[in-house]
Short mmCIF file of all heavy atoms in Angstrom, two decimals:
data_model
loop_
_atom_site.label_atom_id
_atom_site.label_comp_id
_atom_site.label_asym_id
_atom_site.label_seq_id
_atom_site.Cartn_x
_atom_site.Cartn_y
_atom_site.Cartn_z
N LEU A 1 62.52 95.72 61.81
CA LEU A 1 62.52 94.32 61.48
C LEU A 1 63.46 93.54 62.37
O LEU A 1 63.83 92.42 62.05
CB LEU A 1 62.85 94.13 60.01
CG LEU A 1 61.83 94.71 59.02
CD1 LEU A 1 62.25 94.45 57.60
CD2 LEU A 1 60.45 94.21 59.25
N SER A 14 51.31 89.69 58.30
CA SER A 14 50.66 90.91 58.79
C SER A 14 49.65 91.47 57.80
O SER A 14 49.48 92.67 57.72
CB SER A 14 51.73 91.96 59.08
OG SER A 14 52.47 92.21 57.90
N GLU A 16 46.29 91.87 57.41
CA GLU A 16 45.26 92.83 57.80
C GLU A 16 45.85 94.09 58.39
O GLU A 16 45.34 95.18 58.15
CB GLU A 16 44.27 92.18 58.76
CG GLU A 16 43.33 91.23 58.07
CD GLU A 16 42.11 90.90 58.91
OE1 GLU A 16 42.05 91.28 60.09
OE2 GLU A 16 41.21 90.26 58.36
N ALA A 17 46.89 93.97 59.17
CA ALA A 17 47.51 95.17 59.75
C ALA A 17 48.06 96.09 58.66
O ALA A 17 48.00 97.31 58.77
CB ALA A 17 48.61 94.77 60.72
N LEU A 18 48.57 95.50 57.58
CA LEU A 18 49.10 96.31 56.48
C LEU A 18 47.99 96.98 55.67
O LEU A 18 48.24 98.00 55.02
CB LEU A 18 49.97 95.46 55.55
CG LEU A 18 51.36 95.19 56.11
CD1 LEU A 18 52.06 94.12 55.31
CD2 LEU A 18 52.19 96.46 56.16
N LEU A 19 46.77 96.45 55.69
CA LEU A 19 45.66 97.13 55.01
C LEU A 19 45.42 98.49 55.65
O LEU A 19 45.14 99.47 54.97
CB LEU A 19 44.38 96.30 55.10
CG LEU A 19 44.32 95.05 54.24
CD1 LEU A 19 43.05 94.27 54.55
CD2 LEU A 19 44.39 95.40 52.77
N GLU A 20 45.52 98.55 56.96
CA GLU A 20 45.30 99.81 57.66
C GLU A 20 46.54 100.69 57.65
O GLU A 20 46.44 101.91 57.57
CB GLU A 20 44.90 99.52 59.11
CG GLU A 20 44.70 100.78 59.92
CD GLU A 20 44.37 100.49 61.36
OE1 GLU A 20 44.26 99.32 61.76
OE2 GLU A 20 44.25 101.46 62.11
N ASP A 21 47.69 100.09 57.77
CA ASP A 21 48.92 100.85 57.95
C ASP A 21 49.99 100.36 56.97
O ASP A 21 50.84 99.55 57.32
CB ASP A 21 49.40 100.68 59.39
CG ASP A 21 50.54 101.57 59.75
OD1 ASP A 21 51.00 102.35 58.90
OD2 ASP A 21 51.01 101.49 60.90
N PRO A 22 49.94 100.85 55.71
CA PRO A 22 50.86 100.34 54.69
C PRO A 22 52.34 100.54 54.99
O PRO A 22 53.17 99.82 54.46
CB PRO A 22 50.48 101.12 53.43
CG PRO A 22 49.10 101.60 53.68
CD PRO A 22 48.98 101.79 55.15
N ASP A 23 52.69 101.50 55.84
CA ASP A 23 54.11 101.66 56.17
C ASP A 23 54.43 101.10 57.56
O ASP A 23 55.30 101.57 58.25
CB ASP A 23 54.57 103.11 56.00
CG ASP A 23 53.97 104.07 57.00
OD1 ASP A 23 53.10 103.66 57.80
OD2 ASP A 23 54.35 105.25 56.99
N LEU A 24 53.73 100.04 57.90
CA LEU A 24 53.88 99.40 59.21
C LEU A 24 55.32 99.05 59.53
O LEU A 24 55.77 99.18 60.66
CB LEU A 24 53.02 98.12 59.25
CG LEU A 24 53.06 97.29 60.51
CD1 LEU A 24 52.44 98.07 61.67
CD2 LEU A 24 52.32 95.98 60.30
N PHE A 25 56.08 98.61 58.53
CA PHE A 25 57.44 98.18 58.77
C PHE A 25 58.48 99.27 58.54
O PHE A 25 59.67 98.98 58.48
CB PHE A 25 57.76 96.95 57.93
CG PHE A 25 56.95 95.75 58.35
CD1 PHE A 25 56.04 95.18 57.48
CD2 PHE A 25 57.10 95.20 59.61
CE1 PHE A 25 55.29 94.08 57.86
CE2 PHE A 25 56.35 94.11 60.00
CZ PHE A 25 55.45 93.55 59.12
N LEU A 26 58.03 100.48 58.42
CA LEU A 26 58.96 101.59 58.26
C LEU A 26 59.81 101.67 59.53
O LEU A 26 59.28 101.79 60.63
CB LEU A 26 58.19 102.90 58.05
CG LEU A 26 59.00 104.13 57.71
CD1 LEU A 26 59.69 103.96 56.36
CD2 LEU A 26 58.09 105.34 57.66
N GLU A 27 61.11 101.59 59.38
CA GLU A 27 62.01 101.52 60.54
C GLU A 27 62.01 102.81 61.35
O GLU A 27 61.97 102.79 62.56
CB GLU A 27 63.43 101.20 60.06
CG GLU A 27 63.53 99.87 59.36
CD GLU A 27 64.21 98.81 60.18
OE1 GLU A 27 64.76 99.12 61.23
OE2 GLU A 27 64.19 97.66 59.74
N GLU A 28 62.06 103.94 60.69
CA GLU A 28 62.09 105.23 61.37
C GLU A 28 60.84 106.01 60.99
O GLU A 28 60.51 106.10 59.82
CB GLU A 28 63.33 106.03 60.93
CG GLU A 28 64.64 105.38 61.27
CD GLU A 28 64.95 105.47 62.75
OE1 GLU A 28 64.61 106.49 63.37
OE2 GLU A 28 65.55 104.52 63.27
N PRO A 29 60.14 106.61 61.96
CA PRO A 29 58.98 107.41 61.58
C PRO A 29 59.43 108.63 60.76
O PRO A 29 60.47 109.23 61.06
CB PRO A 29 58.37 107.84 62.91
CG PRO A 29 59.41 107.59 63.94
CD PRO A 29 60.37 106.58 63.38
N LEU A 30 58.67 108.90 59.72
CA LEU A 30 58.98 110.09 58.92
C LEU A 30 58.72 111.34 59.75
O LEU A 30 57.89 111.34 60.64
CB LEU A 30 58.11 110.11 57.66
CG LEU A 30 58.31 108.94 56.70
CD1 LEU A 30 57.32 109.05 55.54
CD2 LEU A 30 59.73 108.93 56.16
N GLU A 31 59.43 112.41 59.43
CA GLU A 31 59.17 113.67 60.12
C GLU A 31 58.28 114.54 59.26
O GLU A 31 58.34 114.51 58.04
CB GLU A 31 60.49 114.39 60.41
CG GLU A 31 61.29 113.70 61.49
CD GLU A 31 62.46 114.54 61.96
OE1 GLU A 31 62.67 115.65 61.43
OE2 GLU A 31 63.16 114.08 62.86
N PRO A 37 57.65 113.85 64.81
CA PRO A 37 57.45 112.51 64.24
C PRO A 37 56.00 112.31 63.82
O PRO A 37 55.10 112.80 64.49
CB PRO A 37 57.83 111.57 65.38
CG PRO A 37 58.62 112.38 66.33
CD PRO A 37 58.14 113.80 66.18
N GLU A 38 55.78 111.58 62.74
CA GLU A 38 54.43 111.40 62.22
C GLU A 38 53.52 110.57 63.11
O GLU A 38 52.33 110.55 62.91
CB GLU A 38 54.47 110.76 60.83
CG GLU A 38 54.82 111.73 59.75
CD GLU A 38 54.45 111.20 58.38
OE1 GLU A 38 54.62 110.00 58.13
OE2 GLU A 38 54.02 112.01 57.57
N GLY A 39 54.02 109.88 64.07
CA GLY A 39 53.19 109.01 64.91
C GLY A 39 52.53 109.71 66.08
O GLY A 39 51.89 109.07 66.88
N ALA A 43 50.00 115.04 63.91
CA ALA A 43 50.87 114.49 62.88
C ALA A 43 50.40 113.11 62.44
O ALA A 43 50.57 112.73 61.29
CB ALA A 43 52.31 114.44 63.38
N GLN A 44 49.79 112.35 63.35
CA GLN A 44 49.26 111.03 62.99
C GLN A 44 48.12 111.17 61.98
O GLN A 44 48.01 110.39 61.05
CB GLN A 44 48.78 110.29 64.25
CG GLN A 44 48.19 108.93 63.98
CD GLN A 44 49.19 107.90 63.53
OE1 GLN A 44 50.38 108.16 63.36
NE2 GLN A 44 48.72 106.70 63.29
N ARG A 46 47.83 113.61 59.80
CA ARG A 46 48.49 113.94 58.52
C ARG A 46 49.12 112.71 57.89
O ARG A 46 49.08 112.53 56.67
CB ARG A 46 49.53 115.04 58.73
CG ARG A 46 48.93 116.40 59.03
CD ARG A 46 49.97 117.50 58.96
NE ARG A 46 51.06 117.35 59.90
CZ ARG A 46 51.12 117.91 61.10
NH1 ARG A 46 50.14 118.68 61.53
NH2 ARG A 46 52.16 117.72 61.88
N ARG A 47 49.72 111.85 58.71
CA ARG A 47 50.35 110.63 58.21
C ARG A 47 49.33 109.72 57.55
O ARG A 47 49.54 109.23 56.44
CB ARG A 47 51.03 109.90 59.36
CG ARG A 47 51.67 108.60 58.96
CD ARG A 47 52.21 107.86 60.20
NE ARG A 47 52.32 106.47 59.89
CZ ARG A 47 51.32 105.59 59.97
NH1 ARG A 47 50.13 105.96 60.39
NH2 ARG A 47 51.49 104.34 59.64
N ILE A 48 48.21 109.50 58.21
CA ILE A 48 47.16 108.64 57.66
C ILE A 48 46.66 109.20 56.34
O ILE A 48 46.52 108.47 55.35
CB ILE A 48 46.00 108.48 58.68
CG1 ILE A 48 46.47 107.67 59.89
CG2 ILE A 48 44.79 107.84 58.01
CD1 ILE A 48 45.50 107.68 61.06
N LEU A 49 46.41 110.50 56.30
CA LEU A 49 45.91 111.12 55.07
C LEU A 49 46.96 111.10 53.96
O LEU A 49 46.62 110.92 52.79
CB LEU A 49 45.41 112.53 55.36
CG LEU A 49 44.12 112.56 56.18
CD1 LEU A 49 43.85 113.96 56.70
CD2 LEU A 49 42.95 112.04 55.38
N ARG A 50 48.22 111.25 54.32
CA ARG A 50 49.29 111.17 53.31
C ARG A 50 49.31 109.79 52.68
O ARG A 50 49.38 109.64 51.46
CB ARG A 50 50.65 111.48 53.94
CG ARG A 50 51.84 111.30 52.97
CD ARG A 50 53.19 111.47 53.63
NE ARG A 50 53.43 110.62 54.78
CZ ARG A 50 53.77 109.32 54.71
NH1 ARG A 50 53.89 108.72 53.55
NH2 ARG A 50 53.99 108.63 55.81
N LEU A 51 49.22 108.75 53.51
CA LEU A 51 49.20 107.38 52.99
C LEU A 51 47.97 107.15 52.11
O LEU A 51 48.06 106.49 51.07
CB LEU A 51 49.22 106.38 54.14
CG LEU A 51 50.53 106.26 54.90
CD1 LEU A 51 50.35 105.44 56.18
CD2 LEU A 51 51.61 105.67 54.03
N CYS A 52 46.83 107.69 52.50
CA CYS A 52 45.61 107.54 51.70
C CYS A 52 45.76 108.22 50.35
O CYS A 52 45.36 107.66 49.32
CB CYS A 52 44.41 108.12 52.45
SG CYS A 52 43.89 107.14 53.85
N GLU A 54 48.57 108.81 48.75
CA GLU A 54 49.50 108.00 47.96
C GLU A 54 48.79 106.80 47.37
O GLU A 54 49.01 106.45 46.21
CB GLU A 54 50.68 107.53 48.83
CG GLU A 54 51.67 108.61 49.16
CD GLU A 54 52.81 108.09 50.05
OE1 GLU A 54 53.09 106.87 50.03
OE2 GLU A 54 53.41 108.91 50.76
N PHE A 55 47.94 106.16 48.16
CA PHE A 55 47.19 105.00 47.68
C PHE A 55 46.26 105.39 46.53
O PHE A 55 46.17 104.68 45.52
CB PHE A 55 46.41 104.35 48.82
CG PHE A 55 45.49 103.27 48.34
CD1 PHE A 55 46.00 102.06 47.88
CD2 PHE A 55 44.12 103.45 48.33
CE1 PHE A 55 45.17 101.06 47.42
CE2 PHE A 55 43.28 102.46 47.86
CZ PHE A 55 43.80 101.26 47.41
N HIS A 74 39.39 99.73 50.60
CA HIS A 74 40.74 99.77 51.17
C HIS A 74 40.94 101.09 51.94
O HIS A 74 41.49 101.09 53.04
CB HIS A 74 41.79 99.62 50.08
CG HIS A 74 43.16 99.41 50.62
ND1 HIS A 74 43.73 98.18 50.70
CD2 HIS A 74 44.06 100.28 51.14
CE1 HIS A 74 44.93 98.30 51.25
NE2 HIS A 74 45.16 99.56 51.52
N MET A 78 42.15 102.04 55.84
CA MET A 78 43.23 102.97 56.14
C MET A 78 42.74 104.14 57.00
O MET A 78 43.48 104.66 57.83
CB MET A 78 43.84 103.50 54.84
CG MET A 78 44.57 102.43 54.03
SD MET A 78 45.12 103.01 52.42
CE MET A 78 46.50 104.06 52.90
#
Side-chain angles (χ1 to χ4, degrees):
L1 296 181
S14 58
E16 285 197 352
L18 283 168
L19 287 174
E20 178 183 358
D21 188 0
D23 68 355
L24 179 67
F25 294 116
L26 187 65
E27 299 253 352
E28 298 287 324
L30 298 176
E31 289 190 358
E38 282 198 321
Q44 179 70 358
R46 289 191 299 265
R47 178 186 157 276
I48 292 169
L49 290 167
R50 175 186 55 78
L51 289 169
C52 288
E54 286 179 25
F55 173 70
H74 191 99
M78 293 174 73

